[in-house]
Amino acid sequence: MAPSTVDLLFLTFNCAKALINTTVFANHLEGAFGRNATDLPDLVVLSLQEVAPLSYAFIGDYFLRPYIERFSTAVNQAASQHALKHGMADPASSDSERAAQQTHYELLKSKNVGYTAILLFAKDSSRIRDIKEAEVGFGAADMGNKGAVGLRTVYDAGESGSAEMTFVATHLAAMEWNLPRRNANWASIMRCMTFGDPLPLLEMIRGGSPDVGAEAEGVGLLQGENRPDTNALQKQLHELSLFKPTAHLFVGGDLNYRISTSSPPPDAAFPSLDAESDNYYPKFFELDQLTREKAAGRTLHGLTEAPVHFPPTYKYDVLETGGKDDDDIGPVPWKFAPHRYPGWTDRVLYLDLPSWAFSKQGSGSMKVHAYDALPLMRTSDHRPVFLRIEAPLLSPSALLPTVASLATSTDPRVRLPTELDPEAWERRVAARRRELLVGWSMFLWSTKEGASILATFLIASIGGYWVYRSV
């Protein structure tokens, strides 16, 4: 008998540092909820890039809250619209009952690394436990103007089973010519994103000494086959890594992979949405960098992507329309920006069940219901992309590698594609201090609110000085 499943909707969106229109976003998200499904998903995960202006994103907390709250409102508004459309809510109920029905999802965790944020919503919060966090910045000085943030949690459906799930939101290096750097960003995620500090674990396994010793210098954490603690070290470090053997993994974001390594010339052919055109967009997907680099083993190791049938998701120029209401949910007029080749920059991938799990009875499968782009919104030059997928609730024993796979498999759940960086957590703490310094500096010197604070401080200082002189 096939196991029970957890129904997930994972959506990625580059917000272009702007507050979303909740009405418009909710309307588009409601369309995603209804794609090949009638029930609402158990979990909704949002991967957001350029979620707010950089100073707000670096400072976080109070400054970021208005941007996050709009997404929370939109998710529940979309769920209410879906419930009403599919007969899950009573249109004749009282105002208080309708208000209660509108809270379909609880935002259990939101976390950001600079521009990049991840939001975890659950329909039944009692089924979520043990939320862990991970982060890495690969912008200037390891700060989060580009980076990745992850959540790992257990979805517990009681007698129906449970599943550990890892979600990663990321924003890789931009520009057509930056392909090697995008691959390097992904390598940084694999090395530095751990759901626990690996350094204390290393010290504990080596006898509790905080000083690894000179003889260990230059030796990778996952090297040294003849050391007595190597096997235990590898296993426990693997548990902390992105590729935990017993967890489902989902990665989404503005991955920034393009269809060219250079900007388009003035007479370049662009993808067309007209199926009769010689430049119909599927023809251009053959040039997709992500597909090629992943097949060559240079990025997104081990991950699977559902077939891409949607048009390019970037870069759009929104055309001016006089007199249009901001809440208008109709199509947004657009054209592709002439200085960038349109590309499929926004993607969601997942780690499929391993081969050894398929061989076990009742292991189930990852069932994709929909993988598509949502309509363009006026506030961004990207289209959101979502994946609706059911993941089986499998016991750890069903996902653990078999003895045979340990000897031969190249699956990242068996062998990590790269060794972990034991000093990544310490560097991230230092980078976070730099982010706060840069964020407050930018806020004070580049925003109206900051200018008001500086002016108030200056006036108070001058006033205090004259009071002091007059005494």
Side-chain angles (χ1 to χ4, degrees):
M1 183 177 68
S4 299
T5 60
V6 53
D7 188 356
L8 166 70
L9 187 139
F10 191 121
L11 180 144
T12 180
F13 180 45
N14 187 313
C15 311
K17 298 171 279 190
L19 289 163
I20 62 163
N21 183 305
T22 54
T23 300
V24 175
F25 189 85
N27 185 74
H28 295 334
L29 183 58
E30 189 273 323
F33 283 157
R35 193 75 57 86
N36 301 329
T38 55
D39 293 333
L40 290 169
D42 300 308
L43 301 176
V44 175
V45 175
L46 302 185
S47 166
L48 307 175
Q49 308 84 47
E50 298 188 9
V51 64
L54 189 57
S55 59
Y56 292 5
F58 272 175
I59 298 170
D61 298 329
Y62 170 81
F63 293 94
L64 198 56
R65 193 175 304 136
Y67 295 84
I68 301 301
E69 286 177 347
R70 289 206 178 194
F71 283 101
S72 183
T73 300
V75 167
N76 279 292
Q77 185 175 328
S80 295
Q81 292 172 196
H82 179 86
L84 190 61
K85 181 180 293 185
H86 292 274
M88 302 176 192
D90 182 6
S93 58
S94 66
D95 290 343
S96 60
E97 290 172 332
R98 279 198 297 270
Q101 291 172 356
Q102 287 174 359
T103 308
H104 294 269
Y105 288 97
E106 181 179 349
L107 176 57
L108 297 182
K109 189 67 181 178
S110 66
K111 183 173 177 59
N112 76 296
V113 171
Y115 269 146
T116 305
I118 189 167
L119 279 60
L120 171 62
F121 297 88
K123 195 164 59 173
D124 183 353
S125 60
S126 67
R127 294 190 170 191
I128 300 298
R129 57 180 173 85
D130 302 334
I131 299 178
K132 299 177 182 177
E133 305 172 358
E135 60 187 74
V136 57
F138 31 78
D142 291 331
M143 291 190 292
N145 48 313
K146 289 288 190 293
V149 56
L151 298 176
R152 176 170 287 164
T153 187
V154 175
Y155 181 85
D156 191 344
E159 294 182 357
S160 297
S162 64
E164 194 164 15
M165 311 183 77
T166 303
F167 308 107
V168 176
T170 187
H171 192 183
L172 306 186
M175 309 305 291
E176 286 90 346
W177 46 267
N178 241 348
L179 175 60
R181 190 171 180 185
R182 284 188 276 281
N183 291 346
N185 288 164
W186 170 250
S188 294
I189 293 174
M190 293 192 296
R191 283 197 312 271
C192 303
M193 178 171 278
T194 55
F195 292 85
D197 188 350
L199 192 55
L201 173 61
L202 178 63
E203 294 168 353
M204 179 184 67
I205 293 176
R206 289 180 172 172
S209 172
D211 184 5
V212 174
E215 65 174 315
E217 290 184 6
V219 179
L221 280 182
L222 301 182
Q223 308 299 321
E225 294 294 333
N226 295 323
R227 297 191 176 193
D229 290 322
T230 293
N231 290 336
L233 173 62
Q234 288 179 332
K235 181 178 179 181
Q236 293 182 66
L237 287 175
H238 216 136
E239 294 285 313
L240 296 180
S241 77
L242 188 67
F243 297 106
K244 185 175 183 179
T246 56
H248 297 308
L249 171 62
F250 303 88
V251 178
D254 181 357
L255 305 184
N256 257 320
Y257 285 96
R258 313 298 178 91
I259 62 172
S260 174
T261 55
S262 61
S263 299
D267 58 347
F270 273 21
S272 170
L273 273 61
D274 180 3
E276 302 299 321
S277 170
D278 291 338
N279 295 321
Y280 190 39
Y281 68 83
K283 169 184 174 183
F284 289 81
F285 190 73
E286 299 171 3
L287 305 173
D288 177 58
Q289 292 176 348
L290 175 57
T291 304
R292 184 183 70 235
E293 295 298 299
K294 191 165 75 69
R298 291 188 286 264
T299 192
L300 280 297
H301 297 73
L303 297 180
T304 297
E305 184 177 25
V308 174
H309 297 304
F310 48 85
T313 60
Y314 172 86
K315 175 177 175 61
Y316 290 85
D317 280 346
V318 175
L319 303 179
E320 294 293 332
T321 53
K324 279 283 187 180
D325 188 340
D326 286 343
D327 289 336
D328 180 41
I329 60 176
V332 174
W334 58 269
K335 66 176 182 178
F336 284 125
H339 62 292
R340 293 279 182 267
Y341 273 114
W344 288 261
T345 58
D346 307 272
R347 315 282 273 273
V348 182
L349 296 91
Y350 61 95
L351 195 59
D352 206 348
L353 296 184
S355 57
W356 55 86
F358 282 120
S359 65
K360 299 176 182 178
Q361 282 192 341
S363 65
S365 62
M366 304 290 274
K367 184 177 180 182
V368 174
H369 289 285
Y371 184 44
D372 205 353
L374 296 183
L376 181 68
M377 291 186 286
R378 298 179 188 278
T379 55
S380 178
D381 51 3
H382 289 253
R383 290 176 62 175
V385 170
F386 74 94
L387 172 71
R388 180 75 179 267
I389 188 170
E390 283 188 71
L393 301 178
L394 298 177
S395 65
S397 61
L399 289 172
L400 280 175
T402 60
V403 174
S405 66
L406 290 174
T408 60
S409 178
T410 58
D411 190 292
R413 285 161 290 204
V414 174
R415 286 179 177 79
L416 292 177
T418 183
E419 63 186 43
L420 301 182
D421 184 345
E423 299 175 351
W425 273 48
E426 183 178 346
R427 290 201 309 275
R428 180 60 203 152
V429 170
R432 180 62 189 135
R433 289 194 291 265
R434 289 192 289 271
E435 287 175 358
L436 287 170
L437 178 62
V438 171
W440 278 110
S441 299
M442 293 177 65
F443 174 76
L444 291 173
W445 293 103
S446 65
T447 67
K448 292 181 180 179
E449 299 94 328
S452 298
I453 293 173
L454 288 175
T456 301
F457 177 77
L458 180 61
I459 293 170
S461 298
I462 294 174
Y465 173 76
W466 283 109
V467 169
Y468 171 77
R469 289 291 303 270
S470 63
V471 173

